[in-house]
């Protein structure tokens, strides 16, 4: 490991027992259980990144005047560690997450973290808590790096100069424990997620805080997730929930994929990028462009659009079966998971879990 910092190692004196861990791993759910350790690294304007530590997972003492509590200066990442058939453990394209965190940091006026330090921190945590990486098919260890402003100051005109970077890990079960079930999505006309010039392309907690009312509206209307439309015309489809969207046109040898282009208000998903590279190699042309709600509805009515799915690290793909708006409603294909969606999912999952070759060099071995 070539690190830009030496980590101080403070082992958890009271790790979960093997029995407790097995109990959690038997039914991990998502984001509810955490491993024995975490990584913390501090930043200050005068010292740069320093005090890198592996320490027991636990509460972080914070000054109540820390800027993150008042002005939400925060960002996060999400990636997973996967157990391979030979028992080794890998992550998937971690340098993409590091690079994206730094793009988010730029937008949030936060310091960049050296990509290698980000990856070293992730690797150290996974290596230390490797017994928490599930063996069960489709399960994984979800990794959550995040950064926030710890500067003690309520004045907004003095930019924060102290930050903390943390990585925690959480065993994660199947996103669809009862088999893949297409979601019904709600076209929100009231709320938007991201405006031009705003923070939509940063992986920033505030985007989520601002999305919960839209998600609640979706649920009130009997839907699972909300579809975000562009904030200016409320016409162009951007994302679904916290996933990028893919539209499949045609079927069989004629199938092709369209995904909304990265206009600055969308999050550049690693899964999205991987699908754009994987699909053409499977004979499915993929392009970035734009699609309006009307085109989506008409495309489904004419049969031209055959499948739609959301994609992201947590679910890999989440088929969309039905769309509902204030005064319209339609089904995509037969409302069931489509062939192209499932094939892409299978290919990507195969690469991640080491049951398929990885011609792209996406898999990053940790232990
Ligand atoms: C994280 C995220 C995604 C998916 O990104 P992946 O890197 O594929 O996990 C999509 N949209 C939003 C808003 C996100 O926060």
């Amino acid at each position: 490991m070539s690190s830009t910092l030496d980590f101080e190692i403070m082992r958890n004196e009271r790790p979960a027992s093997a029995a407790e861990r097995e109990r959690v791993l038997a039914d991990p759910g998502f984001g509810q259980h955490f491993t024995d350790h975490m990584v913390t690294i501090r930043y200050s304007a005068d010292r740069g990144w320093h005090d890198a530590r592996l320490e027991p997972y636990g509460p972080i003492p914070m000054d109540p005047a820390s800027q993150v509590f008042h002005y939400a200066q925060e960002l996060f990442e999400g990636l997973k560690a996967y157990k391979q058939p030979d028992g080794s453990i890998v992550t998937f394209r971690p340098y993409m997450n590091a690079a994206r965190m730094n793009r988010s940091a730029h937008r949030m006026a936060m310091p960049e973290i050296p990509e290698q330090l980000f990856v070293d921190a992730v690797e150290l945590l996974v290596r230390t808590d490797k017994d928490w990486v599930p063996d069960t098919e489709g399960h994984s260890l979800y990794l959550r790096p995040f950064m926030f402003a710890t500067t003690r100051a309520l004045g907004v005109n003095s930019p924060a100069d102290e930050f903390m970077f943390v990585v925690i890990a959480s065993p994660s079960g199947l996103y669809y424990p009862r088999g893949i079930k297409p979601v019904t999505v709600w076209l929100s006309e009231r709320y938007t997620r991201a405006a031009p010039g705003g923070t939509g392309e940063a992986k920033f907690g505030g985007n989520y805080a601002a999305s919960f009312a839209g998600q609640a509206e979706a649920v009130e209307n009997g839907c699972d997730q909300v579809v975000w439309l562009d904030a200016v015309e409320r016409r162009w489809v951007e994302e679904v929930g916290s996933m990028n969207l893919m539209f499949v046109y045609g079927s069989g040898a004629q199938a092709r994929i369209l995904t909304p282009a990265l206009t600055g208000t969308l999050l550049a998903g690693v899964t999205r990028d991987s699908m754009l590279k994987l699909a053409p190699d499977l004979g499915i042309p993929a392009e970035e462009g734009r699609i309006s709600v009307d085109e989506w509805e008409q495309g489904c009515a004419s049969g031209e659009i055959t499948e739609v799915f959301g994609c992201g690290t947590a679910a890999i793909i989440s088929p969309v079966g039905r769309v509902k708006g204030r005064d319209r409603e339609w089904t995509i294909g037969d409302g069931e998971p489509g062939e192209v969606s499932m094939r892409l999912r299978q290919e990507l999952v195969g690469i991640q879990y080491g049951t398929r070759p990885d011609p792209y060099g996406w898999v990053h071995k940790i232990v």
Side-chain angles (χ1 to χ4, degrees), residues 10-45:
M10 300 160 69
R11 283 255 169 196
N12 190 336
E13 307 278 324
R14 298 155 160 271
S17 68
E20 277 173 74
R21 199 173 55 234
E22 291 313 314
R23 191 176 46 77
V24 167
L25 293 181
D27 183 18
F30 183 80
Q32 293 156 36
H33 303 282
F34 299 90
T35 64
D36 297 315
H37 297 88
M38 63 183 182
V39 167
T40 61
I41 313 177
R42 295 190 175 265
Y43 177 93
S44 64

Side-chain angles (χ1 to χ4, degrees), residues 9-222:
I9 306 295
M10 300 160 69
R11 283 255 169 196
N12 190 336
E13 307 278 324
R14 298 155 160 271
S17 68
E20 277 173 74
R21 199 173 55 234
E22 291 313 314
R23 191 176 46 77
V24 167
L25 293 181
D27 183 18
F30 183 80
Q32 293 156 36
H33 303 282
F34 299 90
T35 64
D36 297 315
H37 297 88
M38 63 183 182
V39 167
T40 61
I41 313 177
R42 295 190 175 265
Y43 177 93
S44 64
D46 51 343
R47 294 178 66 190
W49 292 103
H50 63 278
D51 268 3
R53 285 188 194 157
L54 174 88
E55 57 185 297
Y57 179 93
I60 299 170
M62 295 276 292
D63 192 294
S66 296
Q67 287 205 345
V68 62
F69 293 139
H70 307 278
Y71 309 123
Q73 205 177 4
E74 182 273 354
L75 50 83
F76 69 95
E77 271 302 323
L79 67 166
K80 286 173 168 176
Y82 307 90
K83 188 67 80 66
Q84 306 290 286
D86 66 1
S88 63
I89 298 168
V90 308
T91 51
F92 186 74
R93 309 184 77 185
Y95 289 93
M96 273 205 93
N97 294 93
R100 185 170 68 190
M101 181 169 246
N102 284 335
R103 291 198 306 275
S104 301
H106 182 74
R107 179 63 183 83
M108 306 311 296
M110 294 170 76
E112 288 194 2
I113 184 162
E115 287 184 15
Q116 192 57 50
L117 182 57
F118 175 104
V119 175
D120 286 349
V122 163
E123 286 191 8
L124 176 60
L125 183 59
V126 173
R127 242 185 293 119
T128 308
D129 286 339
K130 62 179 185 317
D131 292 344
W132 286 94
V133 181
D135 280 323
T136 313
E137 194 187 334
H139 292 206
S140 58
L141 185 65
Y142 183 79
L143 303 162
R144 169 55 62 88
F146 57 109
M147 196 201 295
F148 49 89
T150 53
T151 303
R152 180 176 176 273
L154 296 185
V156 282
N157 293 330
S158 52
D161 56 5
E162 287 179 8
F163 298 87
M164 199 164 164
F165 170 82
V166 183
V167 189
I168 55 175
S170 173
S172 147
L174 287 174
Y175 195 85
Y176 290 103
R178 284 171 292 278
I180 293 183
K181 188 178 155 287
V183 293
T184 299
V185 296
W186 172 250
L187 296 169
S188 185
E189 289 175 38
R190 184 135 62 120
Y191 301 109
T192 58
R193 193 189 82 89
T199 56
E201 67 183 344
K203 211 164 172 73
F204 157 54
N207 292 337
Y208 281 71
S211 76
F212 294 150
Q215 175 62 25
E217 190 191 43
V219 171
E220 277 160 28
N221 285 281

